[in-house]
């Protein structure tokens, strides 16, 4: 994310399809104001929250995390969000979503 010309401390990162929270953990290293994950799978949200708690305690992360269990297409994007992350594993699934 080093190529982004923004002030991370004033930026909100959102990961659509956040899975186990890996991208959220990586974003927390950059010092974002807030990190949000949106994931359709409730079990993946639970895993993500557990991973974020473990990581936060171990590395003393102070970035606030939010994990939302819902379809990304239905998530109401706040005006404060200015960094969007999408990891597209299936081109077929992505095409159907559009």
């Amino acid at each position: 994310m080093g190529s982004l010309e923004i002030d991370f401390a004033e930026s909100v990162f959102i990961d659509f399809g956040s899975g186990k929270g890996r991208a959220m953990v990586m974003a927390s290293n950059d010092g974002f104001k807030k990190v949000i994950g949106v994931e359709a799978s409730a079990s993946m949200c639970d895993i993500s929250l557990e991973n974020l708690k473990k990581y936060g305690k171990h590395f003393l992360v102070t970035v606030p995390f939010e994990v939302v269990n819902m379809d990304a297409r239905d998530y109401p994007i706040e005006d404060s969000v200015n960094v969007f992350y999408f990891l597209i594993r299936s081109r077929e699934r992505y095409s159907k979503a559009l």
Side-chain angles (χ1 to χ4, degrees):
M1 285 192 236
S3 63
L4 294 176
E5 296 179 7
I6 59 171
D7 180 3
F8 290 142
E10 295 299 320
S11 299
V12 178
F13 175 96
I14 189 166
D15 178 10
F16 288 103
S18 57
K20 295 180 181 179
R22 183 176 184 192
M24 295 176 67
V25 167
M26 293 172 66
S28 73
N29 290 329
D30 290 321
F32 281 94
K33 181 177 174 180
K34 183 177 181 181
V35 176
I36 304 167
V38 180
E39 174 58 49
S41 166
S43 61
M44 292 298 265
C45 285
D46 292 341
I47 293 168
S48 176
L49 284 169
E50 198 59 38
N51 288 340
L52 293 166
K53 285 178 191 173
K54 288 178 187 175
Y55 181 81
K57 285 181 183 176
H58 185 73
F59 291 99
L60 304 175
V61 174
T62 58
V63 174
F65 290 104
E66 179 182 349
V67 178
V68 180
N69 179 212
M70 73 179 339
D71 188 312
R73 295 172 291 187
D74 299 326
Y75 183 78
I77 300 170
E78 301 169 12
D79 290 339
S80 61
V81 178
N82 61 335
V83 178
F84 301 85
Y85 182 80
F86 302 86
L87 176 60
I88 301 169
R89 298 177 191 259
S90 170
R91 186 172 296 190
E92 182 181 327
R93 277 180 48 199
Y94 177 69
S95 297
K96 287 180 183 176
L98 291 177

